[in-house]
Amino acid sequence: MIEAHASLKALNTFGVDATARWLLRVDDLDELPGLLARAEFRDLPLLVLGGGSNILLTRDFDGVVLKIEAQRIDRSPRVGDDALVRVEAGCDWHQFVLWSLDSGFNGIENLSLIPGTVGAAPIQNIGAYGVELASVVDAVEVFDRRHARFDVLDRDACSFGYRDSVFKHAAQRDRYIVTAVRFRFDIDAPLLLHYPGVREELAEMGVETPRAADVSAAICAIRRRKLPDPALIGNAGSFFKNPIVTIAEADRLKSRFPGLPVYPTGHGQAKLSAAWLIEQAGLKGYREGDAGVSDSHALVLVNHGHASGAQLLALAMHVRATVLQRFALMLDAEPVIV
Ligand code: EPU
């Protein structure tokens, strides 16, 4: 489907009112090359939208917005203890988590209820409650715009890191369109319950010997309690990444600010809690017009009604400057800012 001067308000979870010169919705991947090669689209900037849950639109987009809506799930015959599954990019992420639970595959239950699509998941290597997408990715199928052909990147070629992948790197950002993700599930994968609060939630639910579906239910409960629901108040999840510093730097900060949560990540580094830094800087619940810092989780910026993308960005800059001044730490934005 092709729409000119399309509103993107319903297509981004911040609910920002921006328009696109063209909006293309594609539900058959085979149509993609022909569509992108059409004269009216071929020389325009391209923006690929998944669930619109990790993007801040600060202006109208004078180009082509592409929304892949193909959402088939195909399962291959098992290879030893591994189950292989191919999922088209437009499939809703949480629906796929539910499908994996129904199919008896462990591995992504901790990633329950993350908003967005399967195609967007590898871009920022979604992660939550001690699990990252990278742990179950076998390969990512793409349309390579540079060579105008479909291609497959194996997991190593994706260069996954904390909220990072090759798809975010400047040199490749506009090159690949994720069309499908190939997953490899280890059917004997253990449940990961070490993240603070997960075991407590299961105990609260009265579960003694959890199955993957119980862990999923526990994670959903934690998320519903802690994170604002984008269906009720516009937001894009965590707006900043947790800063990663050397252990020496973390120790130095910890001696000055004993309450600071520090999570060692190996390789002499540690992750700090950005939410804690923002809350301690006095900004939890802070508001500039309709742009605000959530009062339930300080890492989430929210749209209380009619905030523009530019107003949300100005608020993000204020948060960044305040944390920099108070802690001499620079916060990096997590969502894509357009
Ligand atoms: N905290 C505060 N104030 C707050 C919220 C949290 O001080 O308002 C402190 C608490 O000490 C808490 C700690 O921060 O114990 C960690 O909080 P939480 O468990 O919510 O995790 P997070 O580090 O803030 C990350 C991810 C989330 C993910 C959770 C759970 C990033 C940028 N965010 O948040 O991901 O759901 O861990 O794994 O890594 C997202 O990416 O959109 C997202 C929501």
Side-chain angles (χ1 to χ4, degrees):
M1 199 200 77
I2 301 173
E3 199 183 328
H5 306 293
S7 168
L8 301 175
K9 190 168 162 58
L11 300 183
N12 72 98
T13 59
F14 260 127
V16 163
D17 203 358
T19 57
R21 181 148 145 205
W22 295 103
L23 171 65
L24 311 184
R25 295 174 186 262
V26 175
D27 55 16
D28 177 354
L29 294 174
D30 291 337
E31 287 177 1
L32 190 57
L35 201 54
L36 294 178
R38 277 171 56 160
E40 63 269 50
F41 306 138
R42 141 181 101 203
D43 298 321
L44 292 178
L46 180 78
L47 173 66
V48 184
L49 263 191
S53 53
N54 201 46
I55 192 163
L56 176 60
L57 297 164
T58 61
R59 56 185 163 87
D60 291 334
F61 190 71
D62 190 21
V64 175
V65 170
L66 172 67
K67 204 160 156 42
I68 294 189
E69 299 191 330
Q71 39 189 287
R72 271 181 48 182
I73 302 179
D74 291 303
R75 201 176 156 153
S76 306
R78 205 182 269 175
V79 182
D81 281 344
D82 287 349
L84 299 177
V85 183
R86 172 184 184 272
V87 191
E88 290 182 332
C91 182
D92 176 75
W93 172 260
H94 184 63
Q95 292 307 312
F96 174 55
V97 173
L98 296 178
W99 180 94
S100 77
L101 293 171
D102 277 350
S103 307
F105 303 150
N106 293 7
I108 51 175
E109 56 281 353
N110 293 34
L111 304 181
S112 294
L113 218 59
I114 295 184
T117 58
V118 167
I123 295 174
Q124 59 150 341
N125 183 21
I126 56 171
Y129 305 96
V131 172
E132 283 188 347
L133 181 90
S135 64
V136 287
V137 169
D138 188 45
V140 175
E141 295 183 21
V142 295
F143 181 71
D144 179 351
R145 295 175 67 210
R146 187 182 295 169
H147 297 113
R149 62 163 192 235
F150 288 101
D151 203 352
V152 181
L153 273 63
D154 66 20
R155 182 170 47 179
D156 286 348
C158 294
S159 303
F160 289 121
Y162 167 57
R163 293 294 191 277
D164 194 33
S165 74
V166 71
F167 307 108
K168 279 181 121 179
H169 298 171
Q172 314 290 358
R173 206 170 25 221
D174 294 326
R175 177 172 174 189
Y176 296 122
I177 297 170
V178 175
T179 52
V181 180
R182 297 182 190 173
F183 294 87
R184 179 182 288 268
F185 294 104
D186 171 357
I187 56 159
D188 291 326
L191 300 174
L192 295 176
L193 309 175
H194 61 277
Y195 194 90
V198 176
R199 284 199 175 87
E200 291 79 349
E201 191 70 33
L202 286 162
E204 195 92 333
M205 289 161 52
V207 176
E208 278 172 19
T209 320
R211 294 164 304 123
D214 300 315
V215 178
S216 171
I219 301 286
C220 288
I222 297 172
R223 289 188 74 98
R224 288 203 176 98
R225 205 169 49 236
K226 284 197 170 174
L227 294 164
D229 179 353
L232 303 177
I233 182 161
N235 75 84
S238 302
F239 195 88
F240 296 101
K241 294 187 202 177
N242 286 326
I244 295 180
V245 298
T246 61
I247 291 281
E249 171 72 353
D251 287 346
R252 197 185 58 76
L253 283 160
K254 187 92 185 159
S255 64
R256 284 188 62 202
F257 309 103
L260 173 67
V262 172
Y263 311 98
T265 57
H267 310 292
Q269 293 189 310
K271 216 184 253 183
L272 309 176
S273 163
W276 187 91
L277 297 168
I278 295 168
E279 182 168 346
Q280 295 305 309
L283 291 171
K284 190 168 180 172
Y286 173 77
R287 234 177 126 152
E288 284 177 2
D290 274 351
V293 177
S294 167
D295 57 11
S296 52
H297 200 300
L299 205 44
V300 182
L301 299 192
V302 290
N303 182 355
H304 286 285
H306 299 97
S308 67
Q311 286 167 329
L312 286 158
L313 185 61
L315 173 69
M317 292 302 165
H318 175 68
V319 170
R320 216 170 173 228
T322 310
V323 168
L324 180 64
Q325 195 178 27
R326 175 91 196 268
F327 299 101
L329 280 166
M330 188 76 98
L331 296 180
D332 286 334
E334 198 204 76
V336 175
I337 296 172
V338 177

